[in-house]
Amino acid sequence: MNDRFIARIASELSVPSTKVAATAKLLAEGATVPFIARYRKEVTGSLDEVAITSVRDRMAQLVELEQRREAIVKSLTERSLLSDELKAAVASAETLSALEDLYAPYRPKRRTRATIAREAGLEPLAERLLNEQATLDPTEAAAAFVNAEKQVANTAAALSGARDIIAERVCDDAAARARLRELYWAAGTARSKVITGKETEGAKFKDYFDWNEPIAKIPSHRLLALRRGEEEGILLVRITPAEEEALTVLEPMFVKAPRQPAGEQVRLAVVDSYKRLLGFAIEGELRVETKKRADDTAIRIFADNLRELLLAPALGQKTVLALDPGFRTGCKTVVLDRQGKLLHHDVVHATAGGPNQIREAGETIRALVQKFSVEAIAIGNGTASRETEQFVRTLKLPAHINIVQVNESGASIYSASEVARDEFPDQDITVRGAVSIGRRLMDPLAELVKLDPKSIGVGQYQHDVEETALRRGLDDTVVSCVNRVGVELNTASKQLLGYVSGLGPALAANIVAFRNQNGPFHSRKALLKVPRLGPKAFEQCAGFLRVRDGEHPLDSSAVHPERYDLVDSMARDLGCGVIDLLRDPALRTRIQPEKYVTDTVGLPTLKDILEELAKPGRDPRQQFEAFTFQEGVEKMEHLQPGMKLPGIVTNVTAFGAFVDIGVHQDGLVHVSQLADRFVKDPAEVVKVGQKVRVTVTEVDLERKRIALSMRANPQIGAAREQRTSPGGPHQPQGPGPAGQRPKPVQRPAFNPAADSWAALEQAFNKPSQP
């Protein structure tokens, strides 16, 4: 383990180096983030998952940096270019940019103008121009280098070649690159222009046809929008500071006699270097780094939204009747038992057809409710959902039956997936989709892990984000959520088991196969009989798996098997059994945790154990509460500005939140309308799945757009007014009058012109349904 890495990470994260070293050691030994956070608190000093993940990721970055450093040293050594001074500089480089700057002059290059000039013997002339600026006569000096055989026809050609050599030196100079990089970050501006002839094709990017914004202030969603417009061939995008500022930085570094002829030659070379080489090189770096930062923001937003969705309250083990609504094709209807097993499926025409069909639909649903003792009804929130809900409510079913609309995003993707085919090989995709809707009500986490998170529709510019980083971020989130809730070993799907600490797809499949062949597990220790599941995997996974009514009373709890003996000791000391500790609070109050502290077990672990004894296997998710949309408001045509409605947050982005108010079209609460105070980050105020009350401020039926507010006294119709006033208050709006340029950005999170509905629609990437 590299001590230098440990010290650096400790400094960056403001965490004691001993904690970083211990965490890094556990990670290197194959421990997972959830396991370390939950069961190794004494070792890490109770670092949480965020800190442990940061240690893991930063360690990987530093290892990558070290590998690049070694490759550079090897390359320089093989070519006999590694001086003691250069070796020391390479060894002390703290960032990849600094390392590459040092290597730039020595990097093998393709044939360049400077290469050709060197081959023509002009390097001595370039040296004289740089070193004798105050006294050298450039024309006289260049005359000695005129050589027809080397294609140096005259003194002008000689000076031009010398300037090419100087320009490349300027581009490769580490100090010049560092200074210019600082300027680009501090004063660089993102500018975009529409490519001539692309105005109609690229109408959705109209706000960016003539746009500029400081790169230091541009929010992630706008940067990604610019990049998308560029990639689609609509926009031409540059990220640069003012040319005069860049030259003001560079010229003094190389031009020592600006009023002398030789100094003028050097100045021309510096200008050429900036315009032809160095400016583009630094801009390229900036593009990569700003894209990475925008990706990081987008991934964080996506992961936060996904976490809220996965940890949504679960109805629990109830017999559920699920309806996938439809008009012409009817409503696919399924009944699931308390474990989510399909008991029955049918089709009812509850929203279209003649009176007889509607009457028969009602009779069918009543009969199914009675026959299977249905405890809840789940209705997908797609087409005909409100009509279906209204129909079901007219049936006057028993009052204890919850009727709940369920977000069905991605259900059709699941129904056509290999996972669904494995589960229901004899059912068509409509049945599978209805089953998914019902199971989402029972346990959102268990069902949603079967989907690619990108198909759930809670991201921001998710299709523009670097795929590997997005996958890693989302996988971390799913793993965290699954292990936080815990998994029932005898009912979990292999997809859910695959996210349990220490398992993965292969071992998860082995567990399910073993379970199918041998029947349910009766204890956690029986996991060791599963093929290829050894002691290390058992250590990592056992605490997160639950065995209801297991051989040991703690098999259904989050107490790790490695601590069963400790709890047994507590029970013996009190003259009772473990089961008595679980049942009797008075007994638990007599436990003195300090008595059980050892070299490996400290108070943090003992506190967790005592909390678990009080509520063994508790679900950390909030208690389920049914939600109902406003009765009588089922279509956009029913909306009127000023209406106050209940809604559910379906997506949170950098610029606001989308809210389902039950009209088949989500409305937008812009960040400026989330509260009666300044809100920098919408996630401070709202979360996916949160129940909110909103006011309708504008309805655009033609474009299917709804503007909402969560302010106490919103300005009704303000969004429409803003579309004709790009410089006004921060409200969602469309493009301004033709030819009107946007006014300067007034806040990093939102610009009235750029964040028009067109831009917002791009950001709200709901996946297409097959």
Side-chain angles (χ1 to χ4, degrees):
M1 191 180 303
N2 192 314
D3 292 339
R4 195 154 54 97
F5 291 177
I6 299 299
R8 183 167 177 180
I9 294 172
S11 175
E12 291 174 351
L13 300 181
S14 298
V15 173
S17 58
T18 53
K19 294 184 179 182
V20 175
T23 301
K25 185 174 185 294
L26 287 169
L27 290 166
E29 292 171 351
T32 67
V33 172
F35 176 80
I36 296 171
R38 173 73 188 187
Y39 297 113
R40 291 296 179 264
K41 290 182 177 180
E42 285 76 17
V43 179
T44 68
S46 297
L47 291 184
D48 62 17
E49 286 192 9
V50 174
I52 295 167
T53 301
S54 296
V55 171
R56 181 199 66 185
D57 293 346
R58 192 67 181 114
M59 186 66 72
Q61 292 169 359
L62 291 176
V63 167
E64 181 183 355
L65 176 65
E66 196 63 26
Q67 290 173 343
R68 180 58 180 156
R69 194 191 316 274
E70 292 172 358
I72 287 174
V73 169
K74 181 180 179 182
S75 173
L76 293 171
T77 302
E78 290 174 348
R79 292 182 287 141
S80 301
L81 296 172
L82 189 63
S83 65
D84 291 342
E85 182 181 1
L86 180 57
K87 183 177 182 180
V90 169
S92 62
E94 293 288 325
T95 66
L96 193 58
S97 294
L99 197 57
E100 296 297 349
D101 284 351
L102 289 169
Y103 186 51
Y106 309 98
R107 183 183 291 109
K109 296 181 174 65
R110 59 181 175 81
R111 188 174 172 80
T112 64
R113 282 164 48 172
T115 305
I116 296 170
R118 289 190 185 93
E119 292 172 353
L122 296 174
E123 188 144 27
L125 177 58
E127 292 283 357
R128 294 194 65 190
L129 288 172
L130 282 168
N131 299 323
E132 304 173 34
Q133 294 180 38
T135 58
L136 185 69
D137 181 333
T139 303
E140 183 180 328
F145 292 89
V146 174
N147 188 326
E149 292 182 3
K150 295 184 177 181
Q151 297 183 335
V152 184
N154 49 45
T155 57
L159 289 171
S160 176
R163 291 197 302 271
D164 287 341
I165 293 171
I166 294 172
E168 189 167 276
R169 286 194 186 184
V170 171
C171 182
D172 289 344
D173 186 88
R177 295 178 78 95
R179 292 279 302 279
L180 196 62
R181 188 179 292 117
E182 290 177 3
L183 176 67
Y184 266 68
W185 279 113
T189 299
R191 296 178 174 84
S192 63
K193 298 278 187 181
V194 64
I195 295 175
T196 303
K198 296 287 188 176
E199 291 83 357
T200 301
E201 179 184 345
K204 64 183 178 180
F205 296 103
K206 183 178 179 181
D207 296 314
Y208 301 105
F209 282 2
D210 186 8
W211 181 257
N212 67 84
E213 185 169 4
I215 196 64
K217 295 183 177 181
I218 189 168
S220 63
H221 62 279
R222 254 192 330 264
L223 180 69
L224 292 173
L226 288 174
R227 291 183 63 95
R228 183 186 293 181
E230 185 177 40
E231 290 169 3
E232 293 185 13
I234 306 300
L235 302 176
L236 177 64
V237 179
R238 293 295 307 276
I239 304 176
T240 62
E243 183 177 306
E244 310 82 62
E245 293 184 64
L247 294 177
T248 299
V249 168
L250 291 174
E251 287 180 6
M253 299 180 70
F254 301 94
V255 182
K256 305 305 179 183
R259 298 185 180 182
Q260 299 301 320
E264 176 61 14
Q265 290 294 318
V266 175
R267 189 191 71 81
L268 291 173
V270 171
V271 172
D272 175 53
S273 178
Y274 174 70
K275 290 185 174 181
R276 181 169 58 87
L277 302 172
L278 185 52
F280 284 107
I282 301 300
E283 181 181 359
E285 287 184 19
L286 209 68
R287 282 172 171 266
V288 171
E289 184 60 27
T290 54
K291 172 62 163 58
K292 181 179 181 301
R293 294 186 184 187
D295 283 358
D296 289 345
T297 299
I299 291 170
R300 176 186 58 78
I301 291 171
F302 197 161
D304 289 347
N305 289 344
L306 180 63
R307 180 179 298 277
E308 296 299 326
L309 198 61
L310 293 176
L311 295 180
L315 177 67
Q317 293 187 325
K318 306 284 185 181
T319 304
V320 171
L321 184 148
L323 292 158
D324 188 357
F327 285 117
R328 183 180 55 83
T329 58
C331 302
K332 179 58 67 176
T333 306
V334 300
V335 179
L336 309 175
D337 70 10
R338 292 189 168 196
Q339 283 71 46
K341 180 181 177 181
L342 178 63
L343 300 177
H344 177 83
H345 66 88
D346 204 340
V347 176
V348 299
H349 292 271
T351 56
N356 288 339
Q357 285 183 309
I358 294 176
R359 177 178 52 77
E360 290 173 2
E363 291 174 354
T364 299
I365 291 176
R366 287 194 195 95
L368 292 175
V369 167
Q370 183 174 2
K371 178 179 178 181
F372 295 102
S373 300
V374 168
E375 298 168 273
I377 295 178
I379 301 173
N381 70 339
T383 303
S385 61
R386 294 302 305 281
E387 293 82 356
T388 303
E389 179 187 357
Q390 184 180 21
F391 167 77
V392 172
R393 292 189 183 280
T394 65
L395 300 179
K396 301 189 183 306
L397 299 172
H400 70 274
I401 297 178
N402 282 323
I403 301 171
V404 184
Q405 283 211 20
V406 177
N407 190 328
E408 62 179 44
S409 292
S412 58
I413 293 176
Y414 159 79
S415 65
S417 69
E418 183 178 350
V419 174
R421 289 194 296 272
D422 286 345
E423 285 192 282
F424 303 103
D426 301 324
Q427 304 296 340
D428 64 28
I429 59 175
T430 61
V431 173
R432 298 171 190 162
V435 169
S436 182
I437 290 169
R439 286 178 172 177
R440 286 191 194 193
L441 177 61
M442 299 168 70
D443 190 340
L445 176 61
E447 192 63 18
L448 290 174
V449 295
K450 300 174 185 176
L451 289 169
D452 181 342
K454 290 190 296 184
S455 68
I456 300 175
V458 291
Q460 173 187 305
Y461 282 95
Q462 61 201 50
H463 304 297
D464 299 280
V465 173
E466 200 274 316
E467 179 67 28
T468 302
L470 177 61
R471 169 57 60 187
R472 183 171 60 248
L474 298 185
D475 279 352
D476 281 348
T477 301
V478 178
V479 167
S480 173
C481 292
V482 168
N483 289 283
R484 180 181 174 187
V485 172
V487 173
E488 175 56 47
L489 179 58
N490 286 318
T491 59
S493 66
K494 64 181 179 182
Q495 289 78 25
L496 184 60
L497 287 167
Y499 285 106
V500 172
S501 169
L503 293 182
L507 284 178
N510 289 352
I511 289 173
V512 172
F514 185 88
R515 188 176 69 195
N516 291 339
Q517 183 175 355
N518 299 282
F521 290 90
H522 298 293
S523 68
R524 281 169 164 168
K525 65 182 180 181
L527 278 165
L528 291 168
K529 298 178 182 178
V530 174
R532 304 186 67 180
L533 199 156
K536 185 65 177 180
F538 179 80
E539 174 196 61
Q540 296 294 308
C541 74
F544 302 105
L545 295 170
R546 311 280 184 264
V547 181
R548 195 183 303 274
D549 300 321
E551 291 177 356
H552 195 286
L554 297 178
D555 278 345
S556 62
S557 75
V559 176
H560 197 284
E562 67 186 7
R563 303 300 175 211
Y564 283 7
D565 288 346
L566 174 60
V567 179
D568 289 341
S569 296
M570 292 177 177
R572 283 196 302 271
D573 291 347
L574 293 173
C576 66
V578 172
I579 193 68
D580 299 314
L581 286 181
L582 295 173
R583 292 173 177 171
D584 190 346
L587 284 172
R588 294 194 298 272
T589 61
R590 293 168 54 192
I591 297 174
Q592 300 176 17
E594 295 81 4
K595 179 180 176 181
Y596 301 96
V597 173
T598 67
D599 292 340
T600 57
V601 180
L603 289 177
T605 292
L606 290 165
K607 179 182 176 182
D608 286 345
I609 289 173
L610 294 179
E611 288 179 353
E612 195 62 25
L613 293 178
K615 295 181 179 179
R618 66 193 181 283
D619 192 325
R621 293 173 289 189
Q622 294 182 358
Q623 187 171 356
F624 177 84
E625 292 181 4
F627 174 84
T628 305
F629 290 112
Q630 182 71 43
E631 188 174 347
V633 181
E634 301 164 6
K635 303 176 182 178
M636 282 190 66
E637 288 79 1
H638 296 161
L639 297 176
Q640 293 294 329
M643 277 185 170
K644 296 186 181 297
L645 302 169
I648 296 179
V649 177
T650 58
N651 198 10
V652 178
T653 70
F655 48 79
F658 289 89
V659 177
D660 182 0
I661 53 176
V663 295
H664 308 305
Q665 180 65 47
D666 289 353
L668 171 68
V669 183
H670 187 266
V671 62
S672 62
Q673 296 295 312
L674 284 170
D676 293 319
R677 60 177 175 81
F678 175 79
V679 176
K680 182 178 181 181
D681 181 359
E684 298 172 1
V685 180
V686 288
K687 305 290 184 184
V688 168
Q690 181 177 332
K691 299 172 179 64
V692 295
R693 192 159 186 85
V694 296
T695 302
V696 178
T697 59
E698 182 188 7
V699 182
D700 188 333
L701 293 175
E702 182 180 352
R703 301 182 189 181
K704 293 187 176 180
R705 296 168 182 169
I706 306 166
L708 305 171
S709 176
M710 289 171 56
R711 285 184 167 186
N713 296 295
Q715 185 179 354
I716 307 304
R720 183 178 299 279
E721 293 169 12
Q722 292 306 312
R723 283 205 293 274
T724 60
S725 179
H730 304 305
Q731 299 281 351
Q733 61 181 316
Q740 186 172 19
R741 295 188 61 178
K743 292 189 177 182
V745 178
Q746 298 181 21
R747 60 178 277 165
F750 175 64
N751 184 285
D755 288 339
S756 67
W757 283 103
L760 299 182
E761 285 173 344
Q762 294 174 59
F764 188 41
N765 284 317
K766 279 198 171 181
S768 57
Q769 303 289 331

